[in-house]
Every structure is written in structure tokens, then in C-alpha cells.
Amino acid sequence: MRINMTSTLVPLLKSKVDELFLKWLSTDETQKCLQEDLSRILHGVSPAAFETPVISTVVSARPASPPAPPTATLTTRSPRSPKPVKKLNKPHSKPIDSPLASLDVSDRCTAAIPRFYYPKGTPSHSTKQLDEKISRQVESVFKKNQRIPMNEFSKVTKACQFPLYWRSILFNCCGGQKNGYVTYQNFTAVWKRLTQSCHDEASRFIYLMTSNSRDCLISEDFIPLLQDIVDNHGGLAFLVSAPEFHSRYIKTVIARIFFFVNSSWSGKITLSELRNSNFLKVCVTIDDSPYCVFVALCIVVIVVTLIKIAASNENIECFREYFVVGYRAPDPSFF
């Protein structure tokens, strides 16, 4: 029976070569040489400029083959001996320009990539200077009164350069709803976290509305803001004596806000949806705007009229649950 020696020896040779390769790769000298070469490549140095190639180093570390006999006319090599590699002597070669050369190398294997995505606004030097200026202005306000209640908190809101009716959400975020007042220590703790994480108006609005508990707005978040408008806006003074209409008016305005702002119809207003809407601009102009007062008055009149009509209906409870107020102004407004 004839045995095929080739098919028998090939697997043995392959396993032996793999064993020798792993042994060579695990030596300290090989690891050090590979790490140095990788660091040079990351800094833009061409591999051709290396003074000591890895293969050349390994060849020099192995014992040389015995010299050939003097009578030999042909140069023969053992099948196992590696092919010699010429040593490239280019110590003064100029590094090749590479995009990796401008990056900071944090370690031997990775390079730091500059941050380019800021979901809550891009920080800038001018914004930082403005925040520091606001902090000094607010400090001067608290020097006159160390504990500021809600009815005097508009001074702090004005010093922060926020719209007037942001005072309720800023007051609640600083712990005023729990304590009944806000101290300078409460404010600075919130202001520091706010300015470090949020760098534009929309992200700061969501931070204050949710007390940094969510990245989106739900309908319940608007209740303190709208209740402050109902209680203090000059155009809605007649509602003070009719508190039973407050909740209906607030629910109507919230429905209008979500109709215009929540384009995904998910019931949650995201940061991008808030930026793409004009809601924050409306909040700025609502302070004493006659147009906003007119719109608010129209909505209240419609709500009161529908409730009076429903009062004569036997199924009044059902009507209260499902009534709809429709009003479209020339320029969409929420109030």
C-alpha cells in the first residue's frame, strides 16, 4: 500500500509554522518594535523611513546559516531559512504629510477625535462670558433679599435675560415650589448645571420645564407655565374671579401648542421640534402683547360660550370630556 507523504506532511508543517509564528509574535522584542512602528505611522511617518524593520530585526536575531563549501558553485538555501531583507538606511527622510499627523495621540494605538456633535447647543466663548455676567447680576439681586418668593421672582428672571413667564418654571426648578422661596445657593446650583450642559434657548427651556428629568416635553409640563400666565397676564385679569375656567383654558392652549409644535404626533415635544417651531418667540412677545391678549380673549369667549350651550344639554358630562375649540389666527399663536 502506497502512502501519500505530501498529504501527511502538509498539516504537520502548517501547524509547526503557526507555532513558530506565534512564538515570534509573543517575544518582547517583536512587541516593542511593532508598537514603535505603529506610533510612527500614526504620526505620518512613511514605513519606508523606518530605520529597523521588524523582519530585519528578527533575521539578525537568528543564527546565521553555515558557510557554503569553497568548491560550491551554486548558492543554496534551506527551505526553512527566511529570505534576507535589505536594511533601508534613510534616517533623514522627510515625513509624509498625513491627516493623522494633526491629531493628538492619547496612547500608542488610538487617536483622539475632536467632538463635533452637541445635541444641546454648541458651547462658545461668548455664551460663557454672558452666563458669567448673568451670574453676577443675579448675585446682586439676592444681596437685597436672600429669600425670594414667587411674587418677586420676576427680578431674577429678568436678570437671567429669560422671558417674563419663564419665572414659574425657573422658580420650581430651583426648589421654590417645595420651600416657597429660592435662595442664592439654590439658584447657583441649578444655574451651574444648566449652563454646563445646555448652550441654547431651546435646551435650557426643556431643562427648566422638566427639572432635567427628561429630554422631551409632555402636556403636564406646560401647566405651571400657563397657570402663571392665567394668574398674572393683564389681558386675562377677568379670569381671576372665574377659577372654574382656568383648567379648560389651559387644556385648550396645551392642545394648540401640541397641534403646531409636535409634528410627529407622538404626544412628546422633542428638542428638534421645539427648535423648528416659533413657540419660544411667542413666549418672548406674550408679556404685554395686545395681539396675544386678543387671541387669548377670543379663546376664552369661545370656551365660555360652548360651556353655556352645553349646560342646556342633558349629556353635559360627555360634552365636557370631548369639546373642541377651533380658532385659527392669521399668524399662528398659542395663547
Side-chain angles (χ1 to χ4, degrees):
M1 181 177 180
R2 189 175 181 179
I3 301 175
N4 190 354
M5 296 298 296
T6 303
S7 60
T8 305
L9 293 177
V10 166
L12 297 176
L13 290 175
K14 186 177 183 303
S15 62
K16 189 64 178 178
V17 169
D18 292 342
E19 179 184 351
L20 294 174
F21 174 75
L22 293 175
K23 184 176 180 181
W24 165 78
L25 192 61
S26 61
T27 60
D28 296 337
E29 185 178 3
T30 304
Q31 291 291 325
K32 181 180 178 181
C33 190
L34 290 175
Q35 290 178 358
E36 292 176 354
D37 292 346
L38 180 59
S39 178
R40 293 177 184 178
I41 292 173
L42 290 176
H43 284 83
V45 180
S46 173
F50 295 169
E51 296 181 4
T52 309
V54 178
I55 299 178
S56 179
T57 304
V58 177
V59 171
S60 61
R62 294 188 58 182
S65 300
T71 58
T73 57
L74 296 177
T75 303
T76 58
R77 284 188 295 109
S78 172
R80 294 185 180 182
S81 60
K83 184 178 179 181
V85 178
K86 277 189 176 182
K87 185 177 180 180
L88 301 176
N89 296 322
K90 294 183 179 180
H92 302 291
S93 57
K94 186 178 180 181
I96 299 176
D97 294 335
S98 171
L100 293 175
S102 61
L103 299 178
D104 296 328
V105 180
S106 57
D107 53 47
R108 294 179 181 271
C109 301
T110 60
I113 300 176
R115 183 178 178 181
F116 58 90
Y117 176 61
Y118 296 90
K120 295 186 177 181
T122 305
S124 63
H125 183 65
S126 59
T127 305
K128 184 178 180 181
Q129 287 183 330
L130 180 61
D131 292 338
E132 293 175 353
K133 179 182 177 182
I134 289 173
S135 182
R136 292 191 295 269
Q137 292 176 351
V138 173
E139 184 179 5
S140 63
V141 173
F142 275 96
K143 285 182 179 178
K144 300 177 182 178
N145 187 359
Q146 296 181 356
R147 296 182 176 182
I148 300 181
M150 178 62 184
N151 57 356
E152 300 178 9
F153 206 71
S154 57
K155 300 176 182 178
V156 179
T157 309
K158 185 178 179 180
C160 293
Q161 299 184 13
F162 289 153
L164 174 62
Y165 290 103
W166 283 31
R167 60 187 171 190
S168 60
I169 59 177
L170 180 60
F171 183 80
N172 294 339
C173 189
C174 293
Q177 188 176 15
K178 179 180 179 181
N179 301 324
Y181 58 85
V182 173
T183 63
Y184 182 66
Q185 290 75 18
N186 299 140
F187 173 82
T188 51
V190 173
W191 184 254
K192 185 177 180 180
R193 293 192 299 266
L194 176 68
T195 54
Q196 286 180 349
S197 60
C198 305
H199 305 283
D200 64 351
E201 187 181 27
S203 61
R204 292 184 178 185
F205 180 76
I206 291 182
Y207 184 102
L208 296 176
M209 287 279 282
T210 63
S211 297
N212 197 27
S213 61
R214 289 187 307 276
D215 292 332
C216 59
L217 298 174
I218 59 177
S219 58
E220 288 78 6
D221 295 331
F222 289 90
I223 295 177
L225 175 70
L226 298 178
Q227 187 64 54
D228 185 28
I229 296 174
V230 171
D231 294 339
N232 299 287
H233 198 285
L236 300 175
F238 61 92
L239 279 179
V240 176
S241 58
E244 63 273 12
F245 297 128
H246 290 187
S247 62
R248 296 180 178 88
Y249 172 73
I250 290 173
K251 290 179 180 178
T252 303
V253 174
I254 291 175
R256 288 177 56 79
I257 291 172
F258 274 80
F259 179 79
F260 284 107
V261 180
N262 187 213
S263 56
S264 63
W265 293 86
S266 61
K268 298 178 180 179
I269 297 177
T270 62
L271 186 57
S272 60
E273 289 176 339
L274 187 62
R275 286 176 179 152
N276 295 331
S277 69
N278 67 335
F279 177 76
L280 295 177
K281 293 180 181 179
V282 173
C283 288
V284 174
T285 59
I286 196 178
D287 294 355
D288 290 311
S289 174
Y291 178 76
C292 292
V293 173
F294 171 74
V295 174
L297 182 60
C298 289
I299 294 177
V300 172
V301 169
I302 294 173
V303 172
V304 173
T305 304
L306 288 175
I307 292 176
K308 287 182 178 179
I309 295 174
S312 60
N313 193 340
E314 295 179 356
N315 196 8
I316 185 171
E317 295 298 330
C318 180
F319 182 84
R320 285 180 179 175
E321 288 291 329
Y322 299 103
F323 77 91
V324 178
V325 177
Y327 176 79
R328 180 61 180 250
D331 181 17
S333 177
F334 310 100
F335 305 96

